[in-house]
């Protein structure tokens, strides 16, 4: 039976779902009339120039010829929902509470101040020649100016693409080329865990051969001397002058941003999210799941380079008029008490982080937690990957003192926002389970042939009906979008995740079923790793799989075939991944092998490699049909060069 029955601590919650019975009522209403449900949510939560009269257009059966749309006749600019309307109700409320790399280094930016800075940035972008529909790359650390840059793009109708500051120059260059960006917004250096990140230098390198970049807007964070390219480069503080700006009216389906995510092929997918549906879903899920209240101090300690930062640091909280924390540092700097020190100093009430961080901190011991006052905490959240029950228990008992509601959220870049999760005041929880779908999300479990699995069971997790927050396409490649998400089981959205459902109807995510790794919440394709490893001169072949990792959730396991007569240096492998993917792309285990298990047609049997990496080498089944079965035995026994 469910582990914890959460309770409402005080009255005044924004969400309308306060108990399980109310949850069931709202779910039934959303399922019976999705258009009516989402139109009501959008009209209630979003500032429209022209309110929509239609909800969904299209369906999952005909996405190729007729792309999905929501609120198609509506007109808006989402920054008016995130900024302008709050100037009337509470202009001096803190919008962004920034915690810098060093403890105590902080800024409090009110809604009035944030509005002024976004207007200045919007005018600067316009002066630099950026117009509606043009693309802007944002390559920054976790500074408030990153959020300002995103909002400035949205205010003029430009399409932003935020690239995680740990990505390499080559990965950044690929994204510039793919979307045809004419402007990059970056900073001199990033600061993270006491280390300096050469963001400007990496952006300079990425521009070599990119072809499209005309201007680079640079925020001064560290004050370091950086290379300067006149007249391309412009300082942020010099460009931002005029603080009066009228937001551009946009169609509901106008693209808001492109966010690149790894696929099972080497080329990242530029997923496109649009204005009206995305901001409706971001606002609704943020307020509902976290039981948001007017006086909350809400901290999502992710990075804006990922979808979590987009939806639950910037757009969702600001649309709801919340105080949102931006965290520049890492959870273990200067020690493993950094999160809880921050909770005590800022009186944080809602805290949202990744299971990887929880596991890493739990390994350091509870004394780093208990030395700080955490009595302000009310809701604890997890994001990015499934949380194991042991980490959940530690989070609940040690961090939350057995009194905080825990929301273990499942969602994806593609979904735009949380899709399956407890609702803080309503849902009984079980350690490790994402529990129940949010209203308006209709999941199903399927066999490989699409046959539905009813009741308890395990299979492929699909979603049966559209929702406003989902991605609309892959930038420049709609056929790839359709084949990736709707080609496996026609008429359904296939999430790419395996899942089991128990007798209570609770969902347990079992992980990716394709060749995408989820390492510390970062999605990376095995093909990306293999392509990088293939550039090392001593490597003849490489195959990469995921395996269970006690801290990261999934680790990266590389099988390496050396060139004849050569010896592979692991340092070269790490350097190649770091250079071509980014500093976050690290191999955890390297196994030299004489060859790879292949079918007679040449296909690498990653199923076998996964089993061996998971320590299940005695469960491989029949391998006699492989081109060279002896390779498997050599790998299983731990081949050494």
């Amino acid at each position: 039976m469910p582990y914890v029955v959460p309770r409402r601590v005080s009255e005044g919650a924004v969400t309308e779902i306060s108990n399980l019975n109310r949850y069931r009522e709202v779910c039934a209403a959303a399922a019976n009339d999705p258009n009516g449900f989402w139109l009501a949510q959008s009209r209630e939560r979003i500032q429209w120039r022209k309110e929509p009269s239609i909800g969904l257009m299209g369906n999952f059966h005909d996405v190729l010829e007729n792309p999905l749309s929501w609120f198609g006749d509506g007109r808006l600019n989402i920054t008016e929902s995130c900024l302008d309307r709050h100037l009337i109700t509470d202009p001096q409320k803190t919008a962004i509470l920034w915690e810098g790399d060093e403890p105590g280094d902080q800024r409090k930016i009110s809604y009035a101040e944030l509005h002024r800075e976004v207007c200045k940035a919007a005018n600067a972008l316009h002066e630099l020649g950026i117009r509606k529909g043009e693309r802007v790359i944002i390559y920054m650390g976790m500074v408030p100016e990153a959020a300002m840059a995103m909002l400035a793009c949205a205010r003029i109708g430009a399409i932003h693409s935020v690239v995680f500051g740990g990505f390499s120059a080559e990965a950044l260059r690929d994204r510039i080329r793919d979307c045809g960006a004419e402007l990059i917004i970056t900073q001199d250096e990033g600061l993270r865990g006491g280390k300096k990140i050469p963001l400007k230098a990496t952006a300079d390198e990425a521009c070599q051969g990119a072809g499209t970049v005309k201007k680079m807007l640079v925020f001064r964070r560290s004050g370091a001397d950086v290379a300067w390219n006149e007249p391309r480069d412009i300082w942020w503080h010099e460009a931002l002058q005029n603080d009066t700006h009228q937001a551009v009216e946009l169609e509901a389906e106008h693209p808001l941003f492109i966010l690149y995510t790894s696929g099972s092929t080497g080329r990242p997918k530029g997923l496109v999210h649009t204005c009206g549906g995305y901001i409706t879903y971001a606002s609704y899920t943020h307020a509902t799941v976290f039981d948001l209240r007017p006086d909350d101090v809400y901290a999502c300690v992710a990075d804006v380079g990922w979808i979590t930062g987009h939806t639950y640091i910037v757009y969702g909280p600001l649309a709801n008029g919340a105080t949102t924390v931006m965290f520049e540092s890492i959870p273990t700097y200067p020690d493993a008490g950094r999160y809880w020190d921050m909770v005590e100093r800022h009186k944080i009430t809602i805290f949202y982080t990744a299971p990887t961080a929880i596991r890493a901190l739990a390994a350091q011991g509870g004394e780093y937690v208990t030395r700080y006052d955490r009595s302000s905490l009310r809701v604890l959240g997890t994001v990015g990957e499934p949380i194991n029950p042991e980490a959940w228990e530690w989070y609940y008992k040690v961090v939350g003192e057995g009194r905080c509601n825990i929301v273990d959220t499942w969602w994806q870049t593609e979904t735009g926002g949380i899709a399956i999760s407890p609702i803080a005041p309503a849902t009984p929880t079980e350690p490790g389970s994402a529990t129940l779908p949010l209203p308006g999300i209709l999941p199903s479990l399927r066999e490989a042939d699409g046959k539905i699995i009813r009741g308890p069971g395990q299979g492929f997790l699909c979603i049966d009906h559209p929702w406003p927050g989902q991605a609309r396409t892959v930038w420049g490649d709609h056929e790839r979008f359709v084949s990736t998400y709707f080609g496996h089981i026609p008429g359904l959205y296939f999430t790419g995740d395996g899942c089991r459902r128990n007798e209570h109807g609770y969902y347990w995510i079992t992980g990716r079923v394709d060749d995408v790794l989820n390492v510390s919440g970062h999605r990376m394709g095995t093909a990306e790793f293999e392509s990088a490893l293939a550039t090392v001169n001593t490597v003849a072949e490489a195959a990469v799989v995921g395996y269970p990792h006690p801290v990261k959730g999934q680790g990266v396991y590389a099988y390496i075939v050396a060139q004849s007569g050569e010896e592979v240096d692991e340092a070269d492998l790490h350097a190649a991944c770091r250079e071509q993917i980014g500093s976050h792309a690290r191999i955890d285990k390297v196994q030299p092998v004489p060859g790879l298990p292949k079918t007679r047609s040449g296909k690498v049997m990653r199923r076998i490699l996964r089993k061996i990496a998971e320590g299940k080498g005695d469960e491989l089944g029949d391998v006699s049909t492989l081109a060279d079965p002896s390779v498997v035995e050599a790998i299983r026994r731990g081949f050494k060069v």
Side-chain angles (χ1 to χ4, degrees):
M1 290 297 292
Y3 181 82
V4 179
V5 179
R7 61 195 182 279
R8 186 180 292 278
V9 181
S10 65
E11 295 304 315
V14 173
T15 177
E16 298 177 352
I17 301 177
S18 58
N19 56 62
L20 204 54
N21 286 335
R22 177 59 179 157
Y23 162 81
R24 294 189 179 107
E25 291 173 2
V26 176
C27 282
N32 290 334
D33 181 13
N35 278 3
F37 176 78
W38 289 117
L39 277 167
Q41 293 299 328
S42 188
R43 290 166 180 165
E44 176 185 342
R45 298 175 181 281
I46 303 306
Q47 183 75 41
W48 291 90
R49 296 274 187 93
K50 177 182 181 295
E51 278 195 355
S53 63
I54 57 175
L56 171 67
M57 297 292 288
N59 58 68
F60 284 164
H61 294 275
D62 191 24
V63 183
L64 182 61
E65 298 299 328
N66 296 294
L68 299 169
S69 74
W70 280 89
F71 317 129
D73 61 342
R75 299 291 184 273
L76 79 167
N77 186 290
I78 69 165
T79 66
E80 294 179 334
S81 292
C82 294
L83 300 172
D84 299 64
R85 64 175 170 176
H86 305 315
L87 303 184
I88 300 171
T89 56
D90 198 355
Q92 297 311 314
K93 181 177 181 177
T94 299
I96 295 176
L97 199 170
W98 178 73
E99 172 86 5
D101 193 45
E102 296 295 332
D105 184 6
Q106 69 177 48
R107 293 161 62 188
K108 290 185 177 181
I109 302 171
S110 71
Y111 273 95
E113 292 168 328
L114 183 59
H115 178 266
R116 286 196 295 272
E117 293 305 306
V118 170
C119 286
K120 288 179 182 178
N123 283 319
L125 295 183
H126 191 271
E127 288 295 317
L128 293 173
I130 302 301
R131 299 292 184 268
K132 174 183 175 181
E134 294 180 340
R135 279 75 64 203
V136 174
I137 292 281
I138 300 172
Y139 183 66
M140 305 181 76
M142 282 299 291
V143 292
E145 285 69 20
M148 294 171 189
M150 296 164 68
L151 292 161
C153 290
R155 197 161 181 90
I156 67 172
I159 305 166
H160 65 68
S161 183
V162 184
V163 178
F164 174 57
F167 273 119
S168 68
E170 184 167 337
L172 179 57
R173 184 184 299 119
D174 288 344
R175 287 152 176 78
I176 294 169
R177 285 173 173 165
D178 189 75
C179 71
E182 297 187 6
L183 172 71
I184 295 179
I185 304 176
T186 189
Q187 59 192 72
D188 51 3
E189 292 178 322
L191 299 177
R192 197 165 187 266
K195 298 178 180 179
K196 294 182 177 180
I197 314 298
L199 295 172
K200 171 67 162 60
T202 303
D204 286 338
E205 184 181 347
C207 287
Q208 297 173 14
T212 59
V213 175
K214 298 177 181 177
K215 295 290 182 181
M216 186 179 293
L217 192 57
V218 185
F219 170 65
R220 180 176 283 158
R221 169 67 181 100
S222 70
D225 291 331
V226 291
W228 205 252
N229 183 344
E230 294 278 6
R232 184 197 68 183
D233 298 347
I234 303 101
W235 284 113
W236 174 277
H237 62 273
E238 293 178 357
L240 271 65
Q241 300 296 328
N242 181 5
D243 64 5
T244 301
H245 184 272
Q246 180 65 42
V248 174
E249 183 176 295
L250 301 169
E251 306 84 2
E253 280 296 302
H254 181 75
L256 173 61
F257 63 83
I258 303 167
L259 190 55
Y260 286 87
T261 185
S262 296
S264 56
T265 62
R267 186 165 62 91
K269 305 185 296 291
L271 290 162
V272 178
H273 283 278
T274 57
C275 292
Y278 172 80
I279 196 65
T280 296
Y281 199 70
S283 170
Y284 175 75
T285 54
H286 176 251
T288 301
V289 169
F290 296 104
D291 186 26
L292 187 68
R293 304 172 187 182
D295 59 350
D296 275 324
V297 178
Y298 164 85
C300 173
V301 289
D303 192 287
V304 292
W306 310 107
I307 188 64
T308 302
H310 282 57
T311 306
Y312 298 115
I313 295 178
V314 180
Y315 289 117
L318 295 179
N320 289 328
T323 294
T324 182
V325 174
M326 289 187 72
F327 179 55
E328 186 181 37
S329 195
I330 60 175
T332 53
Y333 180 79
D335 61 35
R338 180 62 184 276
Y339 278 168
W340 324 121
D341 171 45
M342 192 164 63
V343 167
E344 178 180 274
R345 284 187 287 108
H346 300 311
K347 305 301 179 188
I348 291 168
T349 57
I350 303 171
F351 191 81
Y352 194 31
T353 190
T356 295
I358 296 167
R359 287 189 291 265
L361 295 176
Q364 299 294 316
E367 62 272 16
Y368 284 103
V369 182
T370 56
R371 68 176 61 160
Y372 297 103
D373 177 12
R374 303 168 321 285
S375 59
S376 61
L377 288 172
R378 190 181 81 253
V379 178
L380 300 173
T382 66
V383 60
E385 57 186 306
I387 184 171
N388 55 303
E390 295 79 11
W392 193 102
E393 294 270 9
W394 186 85
Y395 200 29
Y396 176 72
K397 292 178 179 177
V398 178
V399 176
E401 302 174 304
R403 58 176 178 78
C404 294
N405 300 330
I406 291 187
V407 291
D408 173 11
T409 65
W410 175 85
W411 59 294
Q412 304 172 308
T413 304
E414 295 86 345
T415 69
I418 297 166
I420 302 177
S421 169
I423 293 172
T427 314
T429 52
E430 293 189 27
S433 173
T435 69
L436 300 169
L438 294 191
I441 299 296
L442 304 178
S444 64
L445 294 187
R446 303 280 173 160
E447 303 282 3
D449 60 2
K451 182 181 178 181
I452 193 167
I453 300 170
R454 302 189 186 279
Q458 183 163 335
F460 294 162
L461 178 61
C462 296
I463 301 179
D464 294 3
H465 191 276
W467 65 100
Q470 70 184 112
R472 299 296 192 264
T473 190
V474 167
W475 182 261
D477 196 348
H478 191 60
E479 288 189 6
R480 184 183 184 192
F481 175 74
V482 175
S483 64
T484 300
Y485 301 107
F486 305 96
H488 296 271
I489 304 176
L492 301 175
Y493 169 78
F494 173 48
T495 67
D497 279 333
C499 182
R500 66 180 175 88
R501 186 173 53 217
N502 70 6
E503 65 274 18
H504 305 298
Y506 277 26
Y507 289 83
W508 302 70
I509 308 301
T510 57
R512 302 295 300 177
V513 298
D514 57 13
D515 290 323
V516 175
L517 305 177
N518 190 336
V519 181
S520 299
H522 297 171
R523 285 183 61 187
M524 295 177 282
T526 57
E528 292 180 275
F529 278 98
E530 292 168 1
S531 296
L533 296 173
T535 65
V536 178
N537 291 333
T538 55
V539 173
E541 284 187 290
V544 172
V545 298
Y547 75 100
H549 191 284
V551 173
K552 298 180 180 181
Q554 250 190 324
V556 180
Y557 198 118
Y559 296 89
I560 303 295
V561 181
Q563 294 281 7
S564 179
E566 298 284 356
E567 185 171 335
V568 178
D569 187 339
E570 282 194 27
D572 293 338
L573 304 179
H574 293 303
C577 294
R578 186 168 57 248
E579 178 181 342
Q580 295 186 48
I581 305 173
S583 58
H584 60 297
R586 181 170 179 81
I587 301 168
D588 297 288
K589 290 186 179 180
V590 176
Q591 182 178 347
V593 295
L596 299 175
K598 298 179 181 178
T599 65
R600 289 183 172 87
S601 63
K603 179 182 178 181
V604 176
M605 295 298 291
R606 286 182 176 79
R607 172 188 62 80
I608 292 173
L609 297 177
R610 287 192 197 97
K611 286 283 189 183
I612 295 173
E614 292 168 359
K616 300 177 181 177
D618 56 348
E619 301 177 12
L620 301 181
D622 183 17
V623 298
S624 62
T625 58
L626 296 177
D628 184 0
S630 66
V631 166
V632 176
E633 186 61 20
I635 296 172
R636 192 177 66 82
R637 291 182 177 179
F639 173 84
K640 302 293 183 183
V641 293

